[in-house]
Amino acid sequence: MSVETPPSASDAAPGDGQRLDAAQLAEAFEMFSRASEELSTAYNALQGQVAQLTERLAVLLGALPAGVVVLDRGGRVAQCNRAAEILLGGDLAGRPWDELAAALNATETPGELTLGEAPGARRMSLSEATLESGEGRIILLHDVTDAHRMRLQAERNERLAAMGEMVAGLAHQLRTPLAAALLYTGNLKQPELAPADRARVADRAIERLHYLERLIRDMLLFARGDSLGRQRFGICDLAGELVHTLEPLARARQIAFSSSCDCGDATLLGDRKALGGAITNLLENAIQATEPGGAVDLSAVLAGDTVLFRIRDNGRGIEPAHQARLFDPFFTTRADGTGLGLAIARGVARAHGGDIAVESSPGKGALFILSLPLPCPDEGDAAQAPKESS
Ligand code: ADP
């Protein structure tokens, strides 16, 4: 006979547990399917957004006035926008960049190139970057033809304005001594003038005429600009020659004049006479600015691939306000100065690829440094014959 026994506690537990697990599993499944549904909705939305962004990017690239070219690892055009195709002409897809770049010509401005023949040539600025993934490069092209044309026009206008200013300045500079000379010579006609006074007035007229002559000579030197000769000469030879010329002037003004040249056999290539004239001018200025008993020193030293002519004096020095104007044509603080000496000297230095710098403070003298690049060892072997300057 079989007796039904109630399920023991130990039997009931696993049965309940199994039912519970199934319910939990069902719930978990539901949760999972809900989550995956949400995920797939989010994914779809994301995909929609990506498509929208890609579309927007394509519209933006298409509308961008600059050309964008993406190159693959092999340097071929993987992608480009319309502006790039218009700038470089035609279908660019798959073409090697080197071939496209070969049609671009370098200009005097780094990063700017021209495409095509003048007068229809286009000018573009080009910049390049490596893609972050390292998978290729991106090239940005910008048509700067109009901007360049406007820049040239502005420069031309500036030059014309400067020329106008210069002509006005010249006329003014000439008029003052000329008016004085006219006045003095007019006085000479006065019959009642005593002979001694007549001689004095005549001297003044002559002195003003000499000043005019000097002024015109300096103006011509200033305007001569680039018509400089080109000879090879020893730096120490030039320094020695200058010392020889300037020593009597310094002695006459009781100024101690010292000099040194540490350049050995080093040579310069350029217009010896014009460079000598520029340094002479700096030395004359130094002597004029120094009281009797003072000192002027000229030294020539090599610094890397440059030679420095240092002209130092312990004279009155230069006020900061004047320092900014020293090299302006016609700036002078001397009654008989033309104000062209430093402008000419700097012009000569710059025409040789060098420059003039100045260090000074009032009462503490001045140091002018004329720097010039040394020629390459084989440079200028076919140097021109020296040009005579008047
Ligand atoms: P100029 O000698 O005819 O005046 P420069 O162009 O040679 O013309 O010099 C311009 C001005 O610069 C001078 O009038 C003077 O005021 C100033 N200057 C030049 N060199 C020195 C110097 N070594 N010390 C003080 N002032 C100087």
Side-chain angles (χ1 to χ4, degrees):
M1 160 185 144
S2 68
V3 178
E4 285 218 0
T5 50
S8 69
S10 59
D11 290 341
D16 280 357
Q18 271 162 7
R19 270 201 302 277
L20 251 175
D21 279 351
Q24 276 177 336
L25 213 62
E27 198 182 325
F29 262 126
E30 198 177 320
M31 267 170 67
F32 175 77
S33 75
R34 232 181 300 134
S36 77
E37 228 168 82
E38 274 169 22
L39 260 174
S40 81
T41 320
Y43 177 73
N44 285 341
L46 213 67
Q47 254 189 336
Q49 274 182 18
V50 168
Q52 227 176 32
L53 277 176
T54 315
E55 202 176 306
R56 246 184 251 168
L57 189 67
V59 171
L60 269 178
L61 274 181
L64 202 70
V68 179
V69 181
V70 181
L71 303 179
D72 62 17
R73 211 191 273 260
R76 286 178 181 273
V77 178
Q79 217 182 329
C80 68
N81 68 350
R82 230 175 90 71
E85 292 197 323
I86 293 172
L87 274 174
L88 297 172
D91 189 9
L92 305 180
R95 290 177 63 186
W97 174 251
D98 285 351
E99 181 191 302
L100 293 165
L104 301 172
N105 302 309
T107 65
E108 69 292 346
T109 313
E112 285 190 11
L113 303 142
T114 55
L115 180 67
E117 294 297 316
R122 304 300 295 170
R123 191 178 176 102
M124 52 189 97
S125 80
L126 185 149
S127 44
E128 191 180 318
T130 307
L131 289 178
E132 240 174 48
S133 59
E135 289 286 291
R137 287 175 292 154
I138 184 161
I139 289 173
L140 189 69
L141 296 158
H142 211 93
D143 191 333
V144 293
T145 313
D146 293 337
H148 178 67
R149 200 175 299 135
M150 276 159 64
R151 199 168 66 208
L152 285 185
Q153 186 69 39
E155 276 171 15
R156 197 170 306 131
N157 288 347
E158 226 167 78
R159 269 204 306 276
L160 282 176
M163 251 166 81
E165 224 170 86
M166 174 90 180
V167 169
L170 289 182
H172 178 76
Q173 296 300 320
L174 293 170
R175 208 162 78 187
T176 315
L178 191 63
L182 279 171
L183 198 78
Y184 290 133
T185 42
N187 283 345
L188 288 177
K189 273 174 65 181
Q190 290 177 12
E192 70 278 8
L193 211 64
D197 289 339
R198 191 178 297 278
R200 195 168 44 82
V201 171
D203 278 347
R204 290 218 175 129
I206 290 169
E207 187 239 326
R208 289 291 85 192
L209 289 172
H210 275 312
Y211 174 78
L212 266 173
E213 190 190 31
R214 212 167 56 238
L215 192 59
I216 289 167
R217 185 204 59 197
D218 282 357
M219 283 178 182
L220 284 175
L221 272 175
F222 181 64
R224 202 177 62 147
D226 53 2
S227 60
L228 292 167
R230 202 166 143 88
Q231 312 97 42
R232 190 178 279 278
F233 54 89
I235 297 170
C236 290
D237 288 349
L238 177 69
E241 186 185 298
L242 296 176
V243 170
H244 217 69
T245 318
L246 269 301
E247 236 165 15
L249 181 67
R251 204 176 315 123
R253 291 200 36 135
Q254 294 164 25
I255 286 164
F257 185 29
S258 54
S259 70
S260 63
C261 183
D262 297 343
C263 302
D265 292 336
T267 56
L268 270 175
L269 199 57
D271 192 318
R272 179 182 176 137
K273 194 166 167 181
L275 286 171
I279 302 168
T280 301
N281 193 278
L282 298 177
L283 285 168
E284 278 175 353
N285 279 349
I287 293 170
Q288 273 153 3
T290 308
E291 293 298 317
V296 169
D297 180 70
L298 163 71
S299 74
V301 290
L302 297 179
D305 50 5
T306 306
V307 54
L308 304 176
F309 291 93
R310 301 160 68 91
I311 295 98
R312 187 189 291 280
D313 66 69
N314 62 357
R316 63 167 188 273
I318 306 162
E319 285 175 35
H322 286 174
Q323 277 188 36
R325 301 173 56 202
L326 279 189
F327 296 92
D328 289 352
F330 306 121
F331 173 76
T332 181
T333 55
R334 297 188 334 183
D336 60 342
T338 63
L340 285 171
L342 286 177
I344 295 169
R346 175 174 270 183
V348 168
R350 289 190 171 169
H352 285 81
D355 210 345
I356 300 180
V358 58
E359 289 167 27
S360 178
S361 43
K364 298 223 170 100
L367 169 65
F368 283 78
I369 303 173
L370 188 153
S371 59
L372 293 170
L374 289 170
C376 303
D378 54 349
E379 197 183 335
D381 289 337
Q384 296 166 11
K387 267 189 197 164
E388 263 315 302
S389 47
S390 54

